[in-house]
């Protein structure tokens, strides 16, 4: 009994061994060091981590944000146009418009406006006939449908060149070189726009009806509004045209599947539609103003062909952009 008690007391009073103390330190210190090292590693990775560069964001995959913003802008412009049509069409403006003064126009002013819109209708008919002829010719279609940069530059040069040619020839009554150049210009535009047939007949038919509605509505607004209401927009419209033209050229190099390409495509299509619609208001009032103010006995006759080219080009651009808008997101087309 006594020996057992002594052995028990010696066992309880024995100091902790070295191995036990080392084990205790390892269990408590090693996790602490590991946590500190992990914290340092996370802090270093956060400090050295950087987001995607501007180039990576611009060339990244496109989303629907740019297209949705474009649709919202067009919807807002449509609401504004309908509101302006109701306001001026109902005669709520305090100033008279061209439609109010038309009853007091001299006969030569009426003839000038009438001839201008007759040439506009003729340009539209020639362009449609030219596009139909190109679509029925596989060889001609292959020439105008090439998506290469030289082919696009040639198309732009042909449109601008024929327009300059028409404007440079003085107007004279009767069929002459001016009329031939006018028909050539309309035919070139019809041929250039012929590849739109790839979008499908249903889309083009809807685009034609929508274009007729837009052009008719905007022309009515311009005729009912005060005569100088939209004539002050020339400078801002020219600046906006430069932006839209630059965006259109940018789409030749950047596909809409990239973020930057999608933004440029939206500016060209949706922004261009709003801009050209504003141009139609401006050009319509400009035609009426020139028809009213051009001297009746001037040695230089009033040129209805040059005046009709403005609204013809506006209408053609509106039709193209409406067709592209109805086609939807180009990244989702089959």
């Amino acid at each position: 009994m006594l020996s057992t008690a002594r052995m028990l007391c010696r066992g309880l009073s024995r100091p902790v061994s070295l191995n036990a103390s080392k084990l205790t330190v390892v269990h408590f210190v090693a996790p602490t060091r590991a946590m500190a090292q992990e914290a340092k590693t996370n802090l270093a990775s956060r400090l050295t981590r950087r987001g995607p560069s501007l180039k990576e964001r611009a060339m990244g995959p496109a989303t629907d944000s740019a297209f949705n913003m474009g649709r919202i802008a067009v919807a807002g412009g449509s609401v504004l146009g309908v509101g302006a049509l109701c306001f001026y069409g109902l005669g709520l403006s305090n100033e008279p418009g061209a439609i109010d003064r038309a009853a007091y126009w001299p006969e030569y002013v009426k003839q000038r406006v009438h001839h201008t819109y007759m040439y506009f209708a003729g340009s539209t008919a020639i362009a449609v006939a030219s596009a139909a002829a190109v679509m029925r010719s596989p060889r001609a279609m292959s020439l105008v449908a090439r998506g290469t940069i030289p082919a696009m530059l040639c198309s732009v040069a042909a449109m601008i060149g024929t327009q300059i040619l028409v404007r440079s020839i003085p107007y004279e009554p009767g069929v002459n070189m001016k009329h031939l150049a006018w028909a050539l210009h309309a035919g070139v535009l019809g041929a250039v726009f012929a590849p739109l047939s790839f979008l499908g007949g249903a889309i083009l038919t809807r685009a034609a009806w929508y274009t007729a509605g837009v052009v008719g509505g905007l022309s009515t607004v311009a005729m009912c509004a005060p005569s100088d209401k939209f004539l002050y927009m020339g400078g801002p419209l020219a600046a906006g045209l430069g932006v839209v033209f630059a965006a259109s050229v940018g789409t030749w190099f950047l596909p809409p599947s990239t973020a930057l390409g999608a933004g440029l495509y939206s500016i060209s299509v949706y922004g261009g539609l709003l801009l050209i619609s504003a141009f139609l208001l401006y050009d319509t009032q400009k035609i009426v103003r020139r028809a009213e103010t051009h001297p009746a006995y001037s040695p230089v006759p009033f040129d209805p062909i040059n005046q009709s080219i403005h609204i013809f080009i506006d209408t053609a651009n509106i039709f193209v952009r409406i067709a592209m808008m109805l086609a939807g997101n180009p990244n989702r087309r089959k």
Side-chain angles (χ1 to χ4, degrees), residues 78-93 217 220-221 224-225:
S78 301
V79 172
L80 184 62
V82 172
L85 180 61
C86 295
F87 180 80
Y88 293 116
L90 295 176
L92 300 179
S93 177
T220 304
V221 171
C224 295

Side-chain angles (χ1 to χ4, degrees), residues 225-247:
S227 58
D228 58 348
K229 189 67 175 180
F230 303 110
L231 291 179
Y232 299 105
M233 299 192 307
L237 289 178
L241 182 61
V243 174
V244 172
F245 180 77

